[in-house]
Each structure stands twice: as C-alpha cells, then as structure tokens.
Amino acid sequence: MGTVLLLATEASGEGGFGLNFDILETNLINLIVVIGLLFYFGRGFLGNILSERRSAIEEAIKEAETRQKDAAASLAEQQQKLTQAQAEAERIRSAAEENAKKAKEAILAQAAQEVERMKATAGQELEAERERAIAQLRSAVVSMALERVEGQLKTSLNENAQHQLIDRSIALLGG
C-alpha cells in the first residue's frame, strides 16, 4: 500500500493523475458538509416532489383505466346499436321485397283484368260491327227487293189487277 501512495504522490507532482490525501486542500470537508445539508434539507423537498409525481402518475393511471372502461362500454353499446341497425336494415329489406312481390302480383292481376276487359270490349265491338253489317245487308237486300218488285209490278200489274189488290188489302184490314 505504501508503494501505491508513493506513486500517487509522485504522479500528482509531475502533473499527472494521482490521489491527494490532504483534507484541507481537497475541500473534502466542504463537500461532506454540503452533501449533508442537501441530504438533511433536500430530503423533505425531494420526497414531496417524488410523492407528488407518484400521485400524479397514479392519478393518470386511474384516469386511463377509467377511460379504457368507458371506451369498452361505449364500444359494446355501439356494437349493440350496429347489430340493431343491421337487423332493422334486414327487416326493411325483407319488407321491401314483400311489398315489391305484392305490387308485382297486383300489377299482373290488373293487367290480366285489363286484357279480359279489352277482349270483352273487342268482342262487343265485333258483335256490334257484325250487327251493323247485317243491318246494312238487310237494308240493301230490302231495297233491291223493293226495286225488283216495283219493276215487276209496273210491268206485270195492270189496272184491273191493281183494283183487285187494293180491294183485297182493304178487306183484310177490316173495311
């Protein structure tokens, strides 16, 4: 140990690294006093700062846990609302499909009724046209028959035959 002490004192004299054991020259007492004062008076101050920091951290952790619980509850509520919205959308879609099916059936039934009505109307119009054609043919036949009869009467009916025909018609009428 003596050699280490000797080496340290020699190195410090030459400007190198060494240990100086002179207490007054190294201010070791001053350092011990300052560190002691800091420890004695700073302990309460440092302890307060550390306890405040600890309580702030605990408060932040509690707040984060509370926010996490709130977020989890909100997430569950929103998922429930999403499920309800999906169920409502499915119900609306199925109702729309049912309404569309009913509307389609109603339109098809109405179209079938319209076709039947048109058929009936066409049949009535056809029957009326046939009756009109028959009436025209009858009137044409009657006019032709009258013309022929008049023509035959003028040629074959003399005055004596006319008087007999008139008398017979009067007798039939009750005169």
Side-chain angles (χ1 to χ4, degrees):
M1 175 118 148
T3 55
V4 173
L5 186 57
L6 181 62
L7 285 175
T9 54
E10 286 179 18
S12 65
E14 295 175 0
F17 175 77
L19 296 174
N20 188 358
F21 291 107
D22 187 11
I23 294 177
L24 296 177
E25 193 176 307
T26 60
N27 286 328
L28 189 59
I29 296 172
N30 291 339
L31 285 174
I32 290 173
V33 169
V34 168
I35 290 173
L37 285 175
L38 282 175
F39 184 73
Y40 181 74
F41 291 112
R43 183 174 41 176
F45 176 72
L46 189 60
N48 286 341
I49 290 175
L50 289 176
S51 68
E52 287 176 9
R53 180 72 179 143
R54 181 182 187 137
S55 65
I57 290 172
E58 287 174 352
E59 183 71 28
I61 289 172
K62 287 178 184 177
E63 187 177 316
E65 287 174 349
T66 306
R67 283 194 310 238
Q68 179 191 13
K69 288 178 185 177
D70 290 345
S74 178
L75 176 64
E77 180 182 341
Q78 294 303 322
Q79 285 177 339
Q80 183 181 10
K81 286 182 181 178
L82 175 63
T83 304
Q84 289 174 349
Q86 287 173 339
E88 181 68 16
E90 181 63 27
R91 185 192 63 78
I92 289 171
R93 186 188 62 77
S94 63
E97 285 178 354
E98 185 67 28
N99 288 341
K101 186 177 179 182
K102 287 178 183 177
K104 177 184 172 185
E105 291 172 358
I107 289 171
L108 288 175
Q110 185 179 7
Q113 288 176 348
E114 187 67 22
V115 166
E116 289 300 318
R117 187 190 61 77
M118 291 173 81
K119 282 181 182 179
T121 303
Q124 290 173 354
E125 287 177 359
L126 183 63
E127 185 64 28
E129 192 64 35
R130 192 172 131 250
E131 291 295 326
R132 231 182 341 260
I134 290 173
Q136 284 178 350
L137 284 175
R138 283 184 183 160
S139 81
V141 168
V142 167
S143 350
M144 287 175 26
L146 284 176
E147 285 177 13
R148 247 184 176 176
V149 168
E150 283 180 4
Q152 283 179 357
L153 283 178
K154 286 182 181 176
T155 58
S156 65
L157 197 63
N158 60 18
E159 205 164 302
N160 191 18
Q162 282 181 3
H163 285 295
Q164 282 180 357
L165 183 61
I166 291 174
D167 289 340
R168 206 178 317 153
S169 295
I170 291 174
L172 283 174
L173 289 174

